[in-house]
Amino acid sequence: MTARLILAATPIGNHQDASMRLRELLETSPVIAAEDTRRLRDLATRLNITVTGRIVSYHEHNETSKADQLLDNIENGHDVLVVTDAGMPLVSDPGYRIVERAIERDITVTAVPGPSAVLTALALAGLPTDRFTFEGFLPRKPSDRRKTLAALATEPRTMVFFEATHRVDDSLADLAQAFGSQRRAALCRELTKTYEEVVRASLSDLAAQAAEGRFKGEIVLVVAGAEPTPGVSLDDAITRARLLADAGERTKDAAALVAAETGISKREIYQGLIS
């Protein structure tokens, strides 16, 4: 069989979620590219398996420079297994650069599916899942975060965000401001772990709890999409554009974005913003 680049999902908390295919590949792959080599060895210990292949450190700071070196192994006939600390490579984790280069070099890429914090949180949130969007981590800088959220305020699909413990209070406060205090949401923390918890509430309720230091650990936020707003008035459109402008969007660009969303004249919205 032709050597391949193999992307494998690892447990997001409970090591018993490791698939039989993952266990076999960890034991037999000649080369394993790991986001954190120590965590990979710890996983192998917990799974009571022995890694026999060469382990290569492959993370966000070296993924571009090491991609071709790893792919050279495949052209020499050796499979390369890519794993991250938790979940599927490429999903807010390293992996995109090596997949991009593999496709350019006509190298076979395959995946071993498994645990996913995104899908697990969606399943538990109690919000619509027929259509959803994954937004990853929100920007760290407050002004950038608010600008991003302002642009997502009218998104009709359920949204999934990752967030760090030390920023979740600020992010929830900004979410409530941008999306409305009563927008439904779910905060999922420590998924599949001993202290797994899912808190379903309005954004304002979650923000208040977060402000008290209520939430610790690895966090996924699932937020309901915006309700349809037929017949948006000019005043509503101007308010929406002003929110974008206050978040850092140029006035003309804010007017254009809202005009595209609502069908209301860009000129009328712009005039309302500057008057």
Side-chain angles (χ1 to χ4, degrees):
M1 183 180 293
T2 303
R4 304 162 297 168
L5 177 68
I6 307 170
L7 311 170
T10 53
I12 60 175
N14 191 326
H15 71 274
Q16 294 180 348
D17 292 334
S19 69
M20 294 303 296
R21 286 181 67 196
L22 174 65
R23 292 167 185 260
E24 179 183 356
L25 285 166
L26 289 175
E27 288 186 305
T28 61
S29 293
V31 181
I32 301 176
E35 184 180 8
D36 187 323
T37 59
R38 290 172 299 180
R39 292 190 65 168
L40 172 62
R41 291 189 173 94
D42 178 66
L43 175 62
T45 298
R46 284 183 284 135
L47 295 177
N48 195 29
I49 61 176
T50 301
V51 176
T52 58
R54 179 166 59 95
I55 301 175
V56 178
S57 176
Y58 184 69
H59 47 75
E60 63 176 329
H61 301 298
N62 70 4
E63 62 172 325
T64 299
S65 62
K66 282 201 172 181
D68 279 307
Q69 297 174 31
L70 288 165
L71 294 175
D72 288 344
N73 288 277
I74 298 175
E75 292 191 335
N76 289 328
H78 304 294
D79 285 345
V80 172
L81 176 68
V82 177
V83 294
T84 59
D85 291 348
M88 178 62 74
L90 282 79
V91 182
S92 282
D93 274 323
Y96 171 71
R97 297 303 175 194
I98 195 169
V99 170
E100 181 182 44
R101 288 294 296 132
I103 293 170
E104 290 172 356
R105 292 173 61 164
D106 199 27
I107 289 172
T108 300
V109 183
T110 189
V112 177
S116 164
V118 176
L119 298 181
T120 302
L122 275 167
L124 297 176
L127 295 171
T129 58
D130 52 333
R131 299 176 68 222
F132 65 89
T133 174
F134 175 57
E135 299 296 332
F137 284 94
L138 286 167
R140 292 180 175 87
K141 189 176 178 181
S143 60
D144 291 341
R145 182 170 60 243
R146 290 164 190 156
K147 182 177 179 179
T148 295
L149 292 176
L152 290 171
T154 58
E155 169 58 60
R157 295 170 293 183
T158 297
M159 291 162 278
V160 183
F161 303 90
F162 286 166
E163 194 49 277
T165 299
H166 63 279
R167 287 197 302 271
V168 70
D169 53 346
D170 290 334
S171 290
L172 280 167
D174 287 343
L175 276 160
Q177 175 66 34
F179 291 4
S181 62
Q182 296 308 304
R183 182 81 70 93
R184 291 189 301 154
L187 185 147
C188 309
R189 70 178 194 90
E190 297 293 272
L191 290 172
T192 77
K193 298 179 182 179
T194 302
Y195 298 105
E196 175 180 287
E197 181 181 27
V198 179
V199 183
R200 305 172 186 89
S202 67
L203 284 171
S204 61
D205 286 344
L206 290 175
Q209 294 183 59
E212 297 173 352
R214 166 85 166 72
F215 304 120
K216 306 293 183 183
E218 296 183 350
I219 293 170
V220 184
L221 298 173
V222 186
V223 183
E227 295 292 335
T229 54
V232 175
S233 68
L234 175 58
D235 285 344
D236 288 340
I238 293 170
T239 299
R240 163 87 176 117
R242 184 166 288 116
L243 183 63
L244 287 169
D246 289 345
E249 198 74 62
R250 292 176 53 197
T251 303
K252 288 185 177 180
D253 293 338
L257 284 168
V258 177
E261 293 171 0
T262 63
I264 295 174
S265 164
K266 172 185 171 181
R267 184 180 65 81
E268 288 183 297
I269 297 172
Y270 180 75
Q271 288 299 322
L273 282 175
I274 63 175
S275 62

